[in-house]
Structures are given as C-alpha cells and as structure tokens.
Amino acid sequence: MNAVSCTQGRLAVVKRPAPTPGKGQLVIDVLRCGICGSDLHARHHCDALADVAAEIGYDAAMRSDQEVILGHEFCGTVAEHGPGCRKSAATGTHVVAFPLLRRGRDVHPIGLSAAAPGGYAEQVIVEESLTVTVPNGLAPDIAALTEPMAVAWHAVRRGGVKKGTVAIVIGCGPVGLGVICMLKASGIRHVIASDLSPGRRALAERCGADLVVDPTQDSPYAGCADRGHLVTAPAALELAVGVVEKLRRLPVPWEPLWRAAELLGAKPKSPVVFECVGVPGVIDGIIGGAPLFSRVVVVGVCMGGDQIRPAMAINKEIELRFVLGYTPLEFRDTLHMLADGKVDAAPLVTGVVGLPEVEGAFDALGDPKRHAKILIDPKRRAPEPASA
Ligand SMILES: [Zn+2]
C-alpha cells in the first residue's frame, strides 16, 4: 500500500506491506485522514514531545530518527477482521476509530508512535472495540472530523460553560473553530472569538461566533465590564464590602444569608476563556487581559517552556485548567452530534489532497491565512498537469 512516512522531519510517499490485523483488530481502508496541528508539531518537535511522554511513563512516542506514518483523524471502510473479532461492523461499513492501538501489554497512540502506524496511508489497523459505525450516511469529509471535534467537545465540557456564560475563544485555527462550533451547539449565547488572521476570523463567523475581533484593533475582553464581569481590583473590593454592608442592614444575621446565597450558586460572574493558540506568552496574555475570576481552559499545545505571572493570576483569582483529548464516550457522542446535524463542522475543511501532496499541505497549513483543516484522500491521484 501507499503511505506517507515522516523521518527526520522529511515527508515522503513510501510503499508499505499491507497491514495484518491482530486479535480483535480491524484493517480499514482509509477514506479521509485529517492533518492535525499535532502532526505539524510532531514533524519537527517530536523528540521534545516524546521526552514529556517518557517522563510520565510512556516511552514509545514517535522520535525523529524513526520512520513514522502520521495520522490520527481518520474514517474509513472495514476491509478485514482479525482473529477473535465480534464482526459488529461488516466489511464495507464506514467507521471512525478512537485512535489507540494495543500491542501486547502496551497501548499506543495511532499515528504518533512507530508502534501504531497512522492514517496517512491507504490502510490502517484499529481496535474493533474502539470503532464506531458512521450513522446517517454522514460524508467521510465530516466523519473524519470526529477526532478533532471530540477534542473541542471535551474542552467545552471541561470548561463547565453554562448557557448564560460568556465564552471567549482565543485563536481560530481548527481547535478554536471546533470549540466555537461545540459552544454554539451547546446553546451558549455569547461566544466571542479572536484571531489575527482575517481568513480565520471569517471561518469563526461561519462557525457561529457571535462577535469576532481582530486583537490588533479590539480586545476580546472589551465588553466584559458591561456584561457584569469584574474587570478591576477596586470593583471586586467594592462588591465584597458592599454586599456585607447591605446584608448587615437587614434585621436578621448575615451569615446564614451568605451561606444560602453560596448554596444557590451566587458568585461573581466569570467568563470561560479557551486558549486555542499554543504559543509562548498567550496564557499570560489571557491572565493579564481577562476579567477577574475567569476560568481559562488551555487547549492549545505550547511546545517548550512558557512564562506566566502567578501574582497576576492570584490577584484576579484566575482558574487555569489544562485539557487533553477526550473520553471514548465523548468521541462516540461527537460522531453522533455531527451525523444528527446538531453541530456543523463543514466550515473547518478548507482542502483535500492526495498522498503526494501531503508535504505541500503541511507548508500551506503553516500559513494561517488560507487554511484550517486539510484532509488527505489516500486514493486521490495528483491532479493532471495542464496540457500545453
Ligand atoms: Zn489531532
């Protein structure tokens, strides 16, 4: 079969033997595989990522001197069942798969380890137990977005956003756009998005953001004071003292009233800010710019070190929450939200390429003006050269 391998940062089309499924595994013919920001990171920084993984006990993450087939955002058709499969999905069924693979005693991330080749290929091995049948004839272009949209769904759920909460999305690449789609699918009324690129701001609007700002012109936090958020220290101090003063004027003890209000969930209004950029300085920029008591959900993966001002975060009681991946249930639910039309992720797809065009697609994705998500169609042939 044809595949695209990555070694020492170079991408090349290679021939590989057809994969053989192990016990409880399937081979699927890949219909579409998304190119993820993690793949762009992994191409040049996989050793740093592998060091982090090794520190927490996983030592088989991809290394630059290995030949790895990337790709963890795929959908395909069932081609072959390995021994011991329940065959719940017949040959030819469209499926997506939670991208983890068993090898002996270990579990590996598909497309990010030499031990589990990914979807930049005509075929890929997956666990039968982790596959989900694509319902409602959902198009492969959209089904392949299950994985990145599940990342967004997990982030939104971990953000604990309520319908009346103001949600602010910093960065409108595929992750930020996915978060916007999932926030709107959850009925969140005030979604503010910010990105430097006009192209990505236009996509944010198509994904349903209620207000889209160019951060060089406007602050995404500008309207927060008007919406009742505390944006200065004096405002927070005034609130604390003012509430006690009011309660103590009443002819009843103030402490039970305060406790009752706490039980009812009374607290300063706090927006949820989603960090979807992942470059140094962004988290500290949010800590400095966001209203007091904001919750910051960090979805963007910043490589290497970064600096924050803890004293600023403490003075504003900023809550920092880091999120990773999704659960198998969130993955399944995301596919069904896409297939039921509850969420429209179509604006994310800005291109489809064949295997020989993958390297060019990586270069194109490095420039945020034009692209969000590029999908690989492994069966697609290079476009015919124009005849003279
Ligand atoms: Zn990904």
Side-chain angles (χ1 to χ4, degrees):
M1 66 162 183
N2 291 307
V4 170
S5 76
C6 179
T7 182
Q8 306 285 12
R10 284 190 312 274
L11 297 164
V13 180
V14 293
K15 291 267 182 210
R16 284 287 180 95
T20 314
K23 192 166 164 274
Q25 296 176 340
L26 308 175
V27 174
I28 64 173
D29 288 326
V30 177
L31 290 168
R32 295 287 187 279
C33 180
I35 298 176
C36 177
S38 313
D39 299 343
L40 270 68
H41 279 315
R43 180 187 185 184
H44 294 299
H45 306 286
C46 61
D47 291 320
L49 286 162
D51 289 343
V52 171
E55 233 179 281
I56 50 172
Y58 177 68
D59 57 12
M62 113 183 228
R63 296 271 176 190
S64 57
D65 59 353
Q66 296 171 324
E67 204 178 309
V68 174
I69 298 175
L70 293 166
H72 56 272
E73 306 178 351
F74 48 83
C75 74
T77 54
V78 177
E80 189 185 343
H81 295 87
C85 278
R86 290 174 297 115
K87 300 198 177 176
S88 44
T91 306
T93 308
H94 284 208
V95 293
V96 294
F98 191 96
L100 290 176
L101 191 72
R102 274 195 186 283
R103 278 276 149 99
R105 290 168 171 266
D106 302 319
V107 174
H108 302 282
I110 293 177
L112 289 166
S113 167
Y120 289 17
E122 288 178 280
Q123 293 192 312
V124 62
I125 299 178
V126 299
E127 293 293 326
E128 184 187 46
S129 60
L130 297 178
T131 57
V132 192
T133 298
V134 176
N136 294 352
L138 183 68
D141 277 8
I142 307 300
L145 298 175
T146 302
E147 200 278 345
M149 292 302 288
V151 170
W153 182 229
H154 179 69
V156 168
R157 293 190 75 217
R158 292 286 295 133
V161 192
K162 307 254 164 49
K163 283 196 167 52
T165 309
V166 172
I168 301 168
V169 180
I170 306 298
C172 302
V175 172
L177 294 173
V179 167
I180 294 167
C181 290
M182 286 304 194
L183 286 166
K184 292 314 290 181
S186 311
I188 310 304
R189 289 189 288 274
H190 302 292
V191 177
I192 299 161
S194 168
D195 198 287
L196 291 165
S197 148
R200 289 188 163 179
R201 289 200 298 276
L203 290 175
E205 262 171 40
R206 283 184 58 204
C207 289
D210 300 284
L211 177 68
V212 182
V213 303
D214 172 355
T216 64
Q217 303 295 319
D218 297 296
S219 162
Y221 315 106
C224 284
D226 299 340
R227 289 207 177 87
H229 295 94
L230 299 168
V231 297
T232 65
L237 300 176
E238 175 55 42
L239 178 70
V241 175
V243 170
V244 177
E245 283 172 350
K246 276 193 200 111
L247 291 175
R248 298 206 82 160
R249 269 184 232 122
L250 300 172
V252 288
W254 68 279
E255 307 97 303
L257 294 174
W258 189 291
R259 280 188 227 288
E262 274 190 357
L263 279 174
L264 292 170
K267 57 177 186 191
K269 268 188 96 173
S270 57
V272 179
V273 185
F274 292 88
E275 197 284 83
C276 303
V277 180
V279 302
V282 173
I283 295 174
D284 195 63
I286 293 171
I287 288 170
L292 279 67
F293 306 107
S294 291
R295 175 179 297 157
V296 182
V297 179
V298 182
V299 203
V301 184
C302 177
M303 299 302 304
D306 195 6
Q307 286 199 321
I308 63 164
R309 289 165 295 164
M312 179 62 82
I314 282 178
N315 269 279
K316 297 171 81 171
E317 198 163 296
I318 298 287
E319 183 188 335
L320 270 185
R321 210 173 256 203
F322 292 80
V323 298
L324 170 73
Y326 38 80
T327 67
L329 182 62
E330 285 168 340
F331 185 83
R332 179 263 172 213
D333 285 349
T334 300
L335 173 66
H336 281 256
M337 287 165 83
L338 291 165
D340 295 346
K342 292 200 177 98
V343 58
D344 177 16
L348 267 72
V349 179
T350 54
V352 180
V353 299
L355 292 172
E357 302 156 281
V358 168
E359 181 159 32
F362 268 58
D363 294 340
L365 286 166
D367 168 12
K369 281 193 206 69
R370 287 196 306 129
H371 283 294
K373 179 66 69 185
I374 296 179
L375 302 176
I376 299 168
D377 171 1
K379 292 271 181 265
R380 186 181 157 113
R381 297 288 156 251
E384 297 289 325
S387 52

